[in-house]
Amino acid sequence: MRHFFRLISCLAVAALLSACAASQPPAKRDYTAYKESKPRSILVLPPLNNSPDVNASYSVLSVLTYPLAEAGYYVLPVALVDSTFKQNGLTVPGDIHQVAPAKLRDIFGADAGLYVTISKYGSTYTVLDSVTVVAASARLVDLRTGTELWSGSASASSAENQNNNNNGGLVGMLISAAIKQIANNLSDSGHDVAGITSNRLLSAGHYNGLLFGPYSPHYGTD
Amino acid sequence: MTISKASRRVLPLLSLCLLAACVQAPKTLYQWEGYQPQVYEHFKGQSPQQQITELEKGLERIAAKGNVPPPGYRAHLGMLYAETGRDDLALQQLEAEKAAFPESAAYIDFLLKKYRK
């Protein structure tokens, strides 16, 4: 009988633990390789585009510099980098993503490369409304060794301001206010939402996000 | 107890100051001006001269405030000068990018070697 109770209480504890585990945030990323690598400069490659909008790659590419530079990294000038690829016969992001890291390091002298993939870009129209969504994922790779240092994904939607943003706190309120303004500007809503996606994906200082770079006053504190 | 005259005058001022402090945007490392929009315009095929006009104006506003343009700003402007045949100005901007961000040296030197060929 005593054994039986012990078994039951063990099971109960195990059940409690697994219940806790299920409601916890995603596991803390391992930053060991990232911290050892200490990248100062980032080469942003033209993003792979898996969305139906042919303009997605350049639209997203043109907004990726802001969060990376504000995080404290030197970002190689994306327009010049793009034309260097073109002059070398590389016009398709898929081909550019296949170039060996060592070769990229040779030409551009960057410490790390950022490989972005766009999964969603554009508007879905319904009878009453239109919603613009941009979703992307990114990998930061050490160009000296080919090691992956970080990866993440993010999305933004023009419909976010209609949701109850009560768990987003002040930042959530600010973002939804920004989206509200942007949603009214129908000229290029995909590009505007891409800017928010890019900031969410690549700004430093949040859980499992990028670490601060050497130009940031927060460098080395995270 | 009534609020004194002085505090009646000071309180609204104080709350205005507080509001202003709230509204002020967080400090960024760089003053961006039109860099990102101009990069997008470049990819959409806008004429180099129009971008040069915008970026030159931005650079003046950045200098006037004693701030720093972001990585890539001066290199992008340099590229546009080169596209419009103003090699001396192109060189000046590329050298300025290199001086501000030594991390760009390898790539800028690679570009300069090509321009000089």
Side-chain angles (χ1 to χ4, degrees):
Chain A
M1 196 63 191
R2 233 184 19 210
H3 278 296
F4 178 74
F5 273 120
R6 210 180 283 165
L7 185 67
I8 289 289
S9 58
C10 274
L11 279 174
V13 167
L16 269 175
L17 277 176
S18 63
C20 282
S23 63
Q24 255 160 24
K28 178 94 179 131
R29 176 181 303 286
D30 179 4
Y31 283 100
T32 316
Y34 195 159
K35 284 182 174 168
E36 267 172 25
S37 161
K38 289 196 176 69
R40 298 186 60 87
S41 56
I42 295 178
L43 172 71
V44 180
L45 306 181
L48 271 181
N49 178 24
N50 294 334
S51 87
D53 191 326
V54 291
N55 299 316
S57 186
Y58 280 136
S59 166
V60 172
L61 177 59
S62 64
V63 293
L64 294 171
T65 304
Y66 183 88
L68 291 171
E70 286 295 332
Y73 297 97
Y74 178 72
V75 186
L76 278 88
V78 288
L80 281 82
V81 167
D82 180 68
S83 73
T84 298
F85 280 129
K86 282 189 178 142
Q87 282 155 15
N88 286 281
L90 291 162
T91 53
V92 185
D95 294 342
I96 294 170
H97 285 223
Q98 295 305 312
V99 178
K103 179 85 183 155
L104 295 175
R105 164 96 180 147
D106 230 30
I107 294 170
F108 298 103
D111 297 333
L114 188 80
Y115 296 74
V116 174
T117 303
I118 302 161
S119 52
K120 284 186 191 148
Y121 184 101
S123 301
T124 311
Y125 295 94
T126 61
V127 178
L128 293 175
D129 206 357
S130 79
V131 175
T132 305
V133 176
V134 176
S137 61
R139 288 191 316 125
L140 188 69
V141 173
D142 188 316
L143 293 181
R144 295 161 292 200
T145 61
T147 314
E148 180 177 303
L149 304 178
W150 175 88
S151 69
S153 60
S155 71
S157 156
S158 62
E160 281 174 47
N161 59 319
Q162 289 147 16
N163 298 344
N164 259 339
N165 232 326
N166 48 12
N167 59 352
L170 183 61
V171 172
M173 276 161 56
L174 289 174
I175 286 173
S176 72
I179 293 170
K180 209 176 243 171
Q181 281 182 351
I182 282 161
N184 294 331
N185 168 19
L186 293 172
S187 56
D188 201 348
S189 58
H191 184 63
D192 293 332
V193 176
I196 298 172
T197 305
S198 153
N199 286 339
R200 281 187 185 160
L201 183 61
L202 299 172
S203 41
H206 62 88
Y207 190 74
N208 281 353
L210 282 177
L211 300 177
F212 286 106
Y215 284 102
S216 165
H218 307 294
Y219 183 50
T221 61
D222 48 12
Chain B
M1 194 178 145
T2 55
I3 305 169
S4 76
K5 226 181 198 169
S7 63
R8 235 181 292 165
R9 222 176 292 155
V10 167
L11 272 177
L13 268 179
L14 199 72
S15 54
L16 261 181
C17 286
L18 274 173
L19 274 176
C22 282
V23 167
Q24 201 171 51
K27 180 103 180 79
T28 55
L29 287 181
Y30 307 103
Q31 188 176 333
W32 287 77
E33 291 296 329
Y35 177 58
Q36 302 250 103
Q38 290 310 317
V39 168
Y40 189 40
E41 294 304 328
H42 168 80
F43 288 138
K44 289 198 292 185
Q46 196 192 50
S47 80
Q49 189 47 53
Q50 211 162 349
Q51 290 173 65
I52 287 173
T53 309
E54 287 301 316
L55 289 174
E56 280 178 343
K57 269 193 260 170
L59 213 49
E60 277 171 28
R61 284 193 289 264
I62 294 167
K65 287 201 172 167
N67 287 337
V68 186
Y73 191 112
R74 281 164 289 205
H76 187 93
L77 182 56
M79 170 191 74
L80 298 170
Y81 282 138
E83 282 175 9
T84 52
R86 283 174 278 179
D87 289 350
D88 49 336
L89 287 175
L91 187 69
Q92 204 183 314
Q93 289 302 326
L94 289 172
E95 291 291 351
E97 175 92 10
K98 203 164 93 170
F101 302 106
E103 295 85 355
S104 68
Y107 182 46
I108 301 282
D109 289 342
F110 168 88
L111 291 172
L112 290 177
K113 235 190 295 172
K114 268 199 331 187
Y115 283 144
R116 285 192 179 122
K117 250 180 221 169

